[in-house]
């Protein structure tokens, strides 16, 4: 039930430089695709470069794409973000669609490391009316009241006790004393 | 064999490498860092193209390159070429003039925004907020997170704070030259002014002698002088004493403040009253950013050269009502 056994760091939602508040700046600075021109493990990457890479570069003009053909090396992609973080991902034996998927995943991330979100919302202004303290909504009469007080010492919504109700009923049903009644 | 099998000599070798590396780093004072341009995969033209597209702005190529070139870099290149013996009439332009102009423009735009959003605030608080936004640390953070660190041509590496700040100011001036002052204003609003979000403005400036100043303001407005009354108290004989003091003017409640002693509570109450006048309480309206500024851009432009009332002359009749 607890998360203490996880090595994944946890934190609250944040974004670098209040991104999105003024304008949205895509955080992916540059991406380097390293692949082999012959080996079979790079086939997906090669197919992606031949077909989908130009479209990707056109839709993300804020990201520099570097291609690094290296013989006898397995393919990988290294994403560099504006806050200086780097993300390495091995693309060995990926299909063309998988490369596209992971590339678009890198695009949408900020460089903040993957972490477990403790809450899915964040605010810098948690209260508008002010945090409750014991003096909120207290009657000002308590300042000059002598305790025990007839009204303030009792619970607010006390209501009549059973005994008091019986006394009331008795008083209503009482026959009036003919001596006290003024004679007509 | 297991997938992670390594020969018996691998681990000790790596351990020895690590040990020698640590000694070398301690001797030279930190791990070796390399500028991104020393990598094989580096294309300065592509990086500049991506920089302007990332921000969604169009720059004149020559202005942008001039904004990113520092005098130290030009001097270093000249010295290097003259050492070799080549003729050093380089056509580089440095960013000194641009940075100066950009700094002035940025101050102007920030002041315009602050005065349009905080209409009821005295000029001292406006200049405190402006100083916070144009401080070296704030501008360095903004410059780093745009990606200027790899693009700047400068002799110092790792780049100093002043270099970042100069480049950023020069970028603003280059943008004004390329796309007009309107775009530069929006750029400053989107990148610099948003750093005010989450910052408590009352921490940036506190009025001295709030009690005396509150009395002066009320006197200027022709209202009765402020009366301080104890509203609540608890634990007066203990360390955790709390006193709530309320400020009243002609029996009308203005504000209340809490403190550990009566004097502190009185000062806090006066501070809260001033915050209420200036509309900078904790419950004040959220600051507008981005698209929310579309309707008040003309107002911002108008107020760039019109300072707010100073604290010593502040009076509520003379200040404008809120614009946004």
């Amino acid at each position: 039930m607890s998360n203490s056994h996880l090595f994944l760091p946890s934190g609250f939602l944040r974004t670098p430089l209040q991104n999105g508040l003024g304008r949205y700046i895509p955080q992916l600075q540059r991406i380097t695709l390293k692949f082999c021109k012959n080996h079979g493990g790079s086939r997906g990457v090669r197919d992606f470069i031949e077909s989908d890479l130009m479209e990707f570069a056109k839709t993300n003009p804020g990201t520099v794409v570097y291609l690094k053909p290296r013989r006898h090396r397995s393919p990988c992609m290294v994403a560099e973000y504006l806050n200086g973080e780097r993300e390495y991902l091995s693309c060995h034996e990926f299909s063309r669609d998988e490369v596209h998927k992971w590339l678009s995943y890198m695009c949408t991330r900020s460089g903040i490391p993957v972490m477990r979100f403790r809450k899915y919302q964040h605010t810098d202004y948690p209260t508008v009316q002010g945090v409750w303290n014991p003096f909120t909504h207290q009657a000002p009469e308590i300042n000059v009241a002598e305790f025990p007080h007839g009204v303030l010492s009792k619970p607010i919504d006390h209501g009549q006790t059973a005994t008091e109700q019986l006394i009331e009923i008795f008083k209503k049903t009482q026959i009036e004393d003919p001596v006290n009644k003024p004679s007509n | 064999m297991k997938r992670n099998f390594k020969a018996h000599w691998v681990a000790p070798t790596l351990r020895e490498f690590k040990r020698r590396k640590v000694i070398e780093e301690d001797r030279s004072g930190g791990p070796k860092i390399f500028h991104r341009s020393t990598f094989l995969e580096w294309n300065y033209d592509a990086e500049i193209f991506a920089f302007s597209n990332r921000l969604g702005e169009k720059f004149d190529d020559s202005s942008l390159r001039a904004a990113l070139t520092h005098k130290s870099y030009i001097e270093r290149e000249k010295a290097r070429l003259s050492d070799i013996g080549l003729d050093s009439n380089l056509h580089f332009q440095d960013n000194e003039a641009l940075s100066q102009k950009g700094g002035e423009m940025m101050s102007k735009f920030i002041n315009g925004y602050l005065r349009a959003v905080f209409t009821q605030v005295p000029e001292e608080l406006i200049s405190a907020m402006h100083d916070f936004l144009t401080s070296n640390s704030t501008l360095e953070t903004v410059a780093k997170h745009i990606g200027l660190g790899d693009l700047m041509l400068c002799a110092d590496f790792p780049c100093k704070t002043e270099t970042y700040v100069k480049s950023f100011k020069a970028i603003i001036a280059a943008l004004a030259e390329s796309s007009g002052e309107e775009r530069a204003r929006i750029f400053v609003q989107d990148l610099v002014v948003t750093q005010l979000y989450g910052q408590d403005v009352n921490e940036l400036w506190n009025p001295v002698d709030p009690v005396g100043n509150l009395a002066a303001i009320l006197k200027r407005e022709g209202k009765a002088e402020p009366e301080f009354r104890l509203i609540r108290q608890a634990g007066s004989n203990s360390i955790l004493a709390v006193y709530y003091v309320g400020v009243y003017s002609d029996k009308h409640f203005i504000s209340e403040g809490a403190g550990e002693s009566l004097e502190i509570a009185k000062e806090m109450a006066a501070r809260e009253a001033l915050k209420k006048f200036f509309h900078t309480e904790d419950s004040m309206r959220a600051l507008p950013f981005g698209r929310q500024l579309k309707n008040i851009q003309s107002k911002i432009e108008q107020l760039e050269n019109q300072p707010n009332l100073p604290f010593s002359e502040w009076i509520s009749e003379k200040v404008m009502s809120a614009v946004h």
Side-chain angles (χ1 to χ4, degrees), chain A residues 87-182:
Chain A
E87 267 283 320
Y88 168 92
L89 180 68
S90 163
C91 306
H92 188 65
E93 308 228 328
F94 274 19
S95 70
R96 169 185 146 191
D97 297 320
E98 278 186 308
V99 176
H100 186 81
K101 180 183 86 174
W102 284 107
L103 202 54
S104 51
Y105 162 76
M106 295 294 196
C107 253
T108 52
R109 287 192 54 201
S110 74
I112 296 171
V114 171
M115 59 179 174
R116 173 183 67 87
F117 288 132
R118 292 184 202 172
K119 289 184 185 169
Y120 288 105
Q121 58 269 358
H122 171 77
T123 174
D124 283 297
Y125 307 100
T127 174
V128 174
Q129 296 181 33
V131 182
W132 181 93
N133 58 67
F135 291 124
T136 317
H137 306 312
Q138 284 291 1
E141 285 84 6
I142 57 172
N143 288 336
V144 289
E146 289 282 332
F147 288 96
H149 194 256
V151 171
L152 293 171
S153 293
K154 297 213 177 98
I156 306 168
D157 54 351
H158 196 166
Q160 279 187 322
T161 60
T163 317
E164 286 167 11
Q165 283 178 29
L166 284 171
I167 295 172
E168 272 234 11
I169 294 168
F170 173 69
K171 281 195 182 134
K172 276 196 196 141
T173 55
Q174 221 180 7
I175 303 163
E176 281 173 349
D177 198 342
V179 175
N180 292 334
K181 205 172 162 185

Side-chain angles (χ1 to χ4, degrees), chain A residues 23-39:
Chain A
R23 67 180 63 178
Y24 173 69
I25 299 174
Q27 292 293 311
L28 186 61
Q29 203 177 6
R30 56 185 83 86
I31 184 134
T32 309
L33 289 166
K34 188 192 213 182
F35 59 100
C36 176
K37 281 183 179 169
N38 282 105
H39 196 81

Side-chain angles (χ1 to χ4, degrees), chain B residues 279-290:
Chain B
H279 287 73
T280 53
E281 318 111 300
D282 290 341
S283 57
M284 72 174 177
R285 286 194 73 161
L287 299 175
F289 295 114

